[in-house]
Amino acid sequence: MHPLFDSSFSEQLTAAAHEIMQVIAPERVHFNAQELYGICTTGATRQIPFAVKAVDRNEILHVLSVARAHRLPVYTISTGKNWGYGTANPVENFCIVLDLSLMNRILDFSSDLASVRVQPGVTQGQLYQFMQEHGHEFLVPVTGAGPHASLMGNLLERGYGITPHTDHFAALLSLEAILPNGEVYSSTLNDLGCGNINHHFKWGLGPYLDGLFAQSNFGIVVECTIALMRKPQSISGFIFTLNSPKDVGKAAEALRNLSQSLPGILGGMNLMNSHRMLAMTAPFPSAQVKPGESISAELMQDLCRQHNIAAWTGIGGIYGTKAVVKAAKKEIRRQLRPLAKKLTFIDERTLSTLNLVSEYVPEFLNKKALVLLSQKARKVLDVVSGVPTEAALPLSYWKTQKKYTAKQKHNIATDDCGLIWYSPLVLNRDLEIEKYISFVQRICQKYAMEPLITLTTVSERCFDSTVPLLFDRKDKDALQRAQQCYQELLLEGQKLGFFPYRLGIEQMAQIVENPDSVSWKLVEKIKNAVDPLNILSPGRYCPSKSVARGSASS
Ligand SMILES: Cc1cc2nc3c(=O)[nH]c(=O)nc-3n(C[C@H](O)[C@H](O)[C@H](O)COP(=O)(O)OP(=O)(O)OC[C@H]3O[C@@H](n4cnc5c(N)ncnc54)[C@H](O)[C@@H]3O)c2cc1C
């Protein structure tokens, strides 16, 4: 046992591990949990006594009953790739990590009703492979976290992507969850014997309770049904650039107008600043930047010129029949042309032409540039077409000594990547966008962090912005600057009306422990009702009362 635990707590943990191993195979109980689950991109450290990989509901029930008996906290993960927000680490110390990645069955797939029912460990890549193998033409709700990240963990954090089912929790149709007392929750329609309808109707009957299981700690979700989007006859990506940073607010409003005038035809759209594009295009220029400083404005200008990077780049996807996509392109051209320097549409046909040209063009005619262009275009088309890729992961390695190399299954946490996501919601209005950008630039500059800004349309009204604070985790000074920078972004942003849609484990207590908030007090009351011993993921988006730990119940 870990030397930091006092002896009676340690005894309870030893007894609990022993009891757990009476039902769960010892090779799935890990005492090197600190190494396996405790390494975090944000630099957070939690004491994790041990971890259990459960393979079915009975094993989960057993872990919970042992946890209740010994008053020990348990923290559930699906695949534990909550990178930038805590990775697989619990919010509080001394939790047993309950890893559900081996519960990875696709339980049901309905081609006619366009839905899939999955266990926690099912990954984006696995669903994609399933579709390919069975010839099903649906889009996987992909994210930048790549093929090995779960669908469920992401959805329970209310994560998003840029396919038309942008908001992943919005695509949830139903779920089942084991409550801390061992009861199994499903919506009222299921209890009425109408399971099939339940799996395909989001709201159930009566108060909507499924929502209680997202960004919370009220249950262990063991399966969920997700609405899928059928692959339309035609998908086209589009990419555009803005010459002047001054036009970004106007471009944001143009995207809002496009979403409103082409409802259901466009997916989520991204606007990315030059720092963000640079990090995805070229290595960090460490030779030209002194330690403890960030890229200067002059160097940034040079690098942008060198790599042909504009002040802002936008991408998006169009979905529909060929005629609909053609008409939508016309509308996009009409609305973006006054602002965009370049506007290009990419589909499978243009991409194969580009590939063909780059294959036959001789070296002296800049073959390399054409090949690069075709690779970039492929990435954009894959992302909007719901093809899981690792295309976004190299970003995490920008400031690290270890470099991203293709063809390996990446774990950015154990590769020393330092990453904290600041992901605030921003109203889609010109002036708000400008205010937001100058605020992020100012705070990042203060801490010598590059401001890598993306704005994604999560609705017609709001952007969610993601700012990855990148650093080398081995560099203590950079880690401290990144953590302080996040904290100032959080607090200053709040004053200006910007606040994250999702929190990291380090910030939860500071936000939820608020005696003046009726909402957080209600959350606490619900928690007390469903989990009086506070054994399930204590502190996760919920005030955490102190409970005597490690005292066995009689
Ligand atoms: C380069 C990069 C790009 C990224 N791009 C995106 C993006 O486009 N969109 C996005 O949303 N995120 C993105 N992320 C952030 C993050 O990596 C993903 O959200 C990822 O899907 C979360 O990890 P996971 O799926 O393994 O979930 P987990 O880590 O397994 O789960 C997340 C949390 O949910 C809770 N939880 C998980 N499973 C259960 C369960 N069964 N029952 C109860 N509670 C549970 C736990 O508290 C857990 O900590 C990105 C990260 C990186 C590094």
Side-chain angles (χ1 to χ4, degrees), residues 379-399:
K379 281 181 192 169
V380 173
L381 195 58
D382 279 350
V383 169
V384 299
S385 306
V387 179
T389 74
E390 290 205 336
L393 287 189
L395 174 85
S396 326
Y397 292 74
W398 205 41
K399 296 279 198 84

Side-chain angles (χ1 to χ4, degrees), residues 75-76 78-82 143-145 150 154 159-160 221 502 540:
Y75 190 83
T76 318
S78 285
T79 46
K81 294 184 167 39
N82 202 15
T143 69
S150 73
N154 182 267
Y160 62 85
V221 182
R502 164 179 180 179
R540 176 171 152 77

Side-chain angles (χ1 to χ4, degrees), residues 127-172:
L127 181 60
Y128 182 73
Q129 207 181 335
F130 172 85
M131 304 282 192
Q132 294 290 95
E133 279 168 13
H134 295 85
H136 298 308
E137 301 266 297
F138 292 88
L139 307 188
V140 172
V142 292
T143 69
H148 309 293
S150 73
L151 298 166
M152 192 186 285
N154 182 267
L155 169 159
L156 292 176
E157 275 289 349
R158 297 204 283 261
Y160 62 85
I162 65 167
T163 62
H165 287 189
T166 311
D167 175 343
H168 294 160
F169 189 78
L172 175 86

Side-chain angles (χ1 to χ4, degrees), residues 27-92:
E27 60 271 23
R28 288 190 280 108
V29 180
H30 300 278
F31 293 97
N32 57 344
Q34 207 65 43
E35 222 174 281
L36 296 177
Y37 300 90
I39 301 171
C40 185
T41 66
T42 68
T45 47
R46 295 290 181 273
Q47 303 301 329
I48 306 171
F50 62 92
V52 183
K53 278 188 173 169
V55 292
D56 59 29
R57 292 181 183 208
N58 283 339
E59 292 194 351
I60 296 175
L61 286 170
H62 180 65
V63 171
L64 276 180
S65 90
V66 173
R68 280 194 308 271
H70 292 274
R71 305 239 194 300
L72 294 175
V74 171
Y75 190 83
T76 318
I77 56 166
S78 285
T79 46
K81 294 184 167 39
N82 202 15
W83 292 320
Y85 298 101
T87 313
N89 280 270
V91 180
E92 293 188 358

